[in-house]
Amino acid sequence: MAEKTEKNLEEELEKFNTKFQLILDRAELDKTSRILKMDMKIPEFYEKNMEAFLEKFFSKNPFELRKEDLEDYTLDRKVLKRLRFDRRPASYLSLFRFIEMYRQGLNIIKQNISVLASIYKYKEPRDIFEEQQKEILLNELLSAGRVFKKLQSLNVSFYATFIKHLNDSYLESTKLLGEDGFINIKKLNGDTFLATTFYPYYDQMITNSIFLETLSIRLRQEREKWQARYPD
């Protein structure tokens, strides 16, 4: 029975993978179209395996965060950066890519934390100044670790909520249209709709996206600095 179940799962995933990849291929061929039909549920395996799904379908095409996508705003007399409203992910397709951007950014942060933790643990300071710098590094690592756990949990929670919404929406469409039911994953959704539908995760993902990028850059620079000190 177990072998049969495993075989059925493989067949289900193979069928889905083929159909979903064709959908993504159509999106690439016609980037101007605002209609892209997804006429199937996302399998339970992928509901529970975010890494496997995103790695397979979106690892080569994550959402991109560029300098021109940001704007200044003032909060408590401080000038901060935020993602422009017209550059926020609005379609379901762009949300897939946005979650993948988080996944890749978090993986980079995790790798840098691991390298820096190894330097802190195994490299002996050569003078008092370097000893002081290592204490600063420790505080940086502890802070980055806390942020990583928070953002990782946020991304996983948003993914789970997002996939459930897609599957529920598809099933609802089949009640109305039968076998012709589908979701248009390129339809542009309003910011209020997304914030309400994926509350509180969507707003938190948008707010923390710049912090994700900033932390990734800061840790990379810190890693390069310490690796220059200890090239071996």
Side-chain angles (χ1 to χ4, degrees):
M1 181 65 70
E3 291 182 1
K4 183 178 180 181
T5 301
E6 184 176 342
K7 182 179 179 181
N8 290 344
L9 174 60
E10 290 178 358
E11 291 175 349
E12 178 191 19
L13 290 180
E14 184 177 354
K15 182 178 179 180
F16 173 84
N17 291 347
T18 300
K19 290 185 67 176
F20 193 68
Q21 187 59 57
L22 286 173
I23 291 171
L24 297 181
D25 291 343
R26 284 199 294 272
E28 283 298 305
L29 288 172
D30 187 2
K31 295 186 178 183
T32 61
S33 174
R34 294 264 54 99
I35 299 177
L36 187 64
K37 295 181 180 181
M38 188 174 82
D39 55 350
M40 57 191 167
K41 279 184 63 180
I42 295 174
E44 182 181 1
F45 175 83
Y46 285 139
E47 285 189 67
K48 298 178 179 179
N49 291 274
M50 180 183 79
E51 290 276 339
F53 180 78
L54 295 175
E55 176 67 31
K56 184 169 187 63
F57 295 110
F58 295 98
S59 60
K60 296 180 181 179
N61 189 28
F63 190 89
E64 293 183 3
L65 200 61
R66 301 167 299 191
K67 288 183 179 179
E68 57 266 33
D69 298 330
L70 307 180
E71 64 181 5
D72 293 335
Y73 74 103
T74 304
L75 180 65
D76 296 331
R77 297 183 180 181
K78 294 181 180 179
V79 178
L80 305 173
K81 295 286 186 182
R82 67 183 176 191
L83 190 58
R84 287 190 354 230
F85 280 90
D86 63 331
R87 275 296 297 146
R88 294 183 179 188
S91 69
Y92 293 145
L93 182 60
S94 63
L95 284 174
F96 277 127
R97 297 175 58 232
F98 194 62
I99 297 169
E100 172 62 8
M101 182 195 77
Y102 258 80
R103 186 185 76 89
Q104 292 189 17
L106 286 165
N107 282 343
I108 291 171
I109 289 171
K110 184 178 180 180
Q111 292 165 11
N112 285 331
I113 289 176
S114 178
V115 170
L116 287 167
S118 180
I119 290 173
Y120 177 83
K121 185 175 182 180
Y122 296 111
K123 302 298 183 182
E124 290 295 329
R126 292 170 291 198
D127 51 43
I128 294 177
F129 172 77
E130 202 161 84
E131 186 173 348
Q132 293 172 340
Q133 290 299 302
K134 286 192 70 176
E135 288 306 306
I136 294 174
L137 173 61
L138 176 60
N139 291 330
E140 177 79 15
L141 286 171
L142 293 174
S143 176
R146 288 192 294 269
V147 173
F148 173 83
K149 289 181 180 179
K150 175 185 174 182
L151 296 185
Q152 177 80 346
S153 176
L154 172 61
N155 202 36
V156 169
S157 297
F158 182 51
Y159 176 83
T161 304
F162 178 51
I163 299 300
K164 183 179 185 306
H165 170 77
L166 288 180
N167 282 342
D168 288 349
S169 297
Y170 171 69
L171 290 176
E172 191 64 32
S173 76
T174 61
K175 291 179 182 178
L176 298 173
L177 302 173
E179 293 182 357
D180 295 327
F182 70 92
I183 312 167
N184 178 12
I185 60 173
K186 284 192 77 175
K187 176 186 176 183
L188 296 179
N189 301 291
D191 198 68
T192 301
F193 170 81
L194 293 171
T196 302
T197 303
F198 303 116
Y199 179 84
Y201 306 120
Y202 177 78
D203 279 345
Q204 291 177 13
M205 291 280 284
I206 294 294
T207 300
N208 284 288
S209 60
I210 298 172
F211 189 48
L212 174 78
E213 179 75 6
T214 302
L215 179 61
S216 179
I217 292 172
R218 191 167 79 234
L219 284 175
R220 187 193 70 229
Q221 292 172 340
E222 192 74 10
R223 185 202 73 213
E224 291 172 350
K225 179 181 74 177
W226 282 96
Q227 285 180 325
R229 289 179 178 176
Y230 299 104
D232 57 339

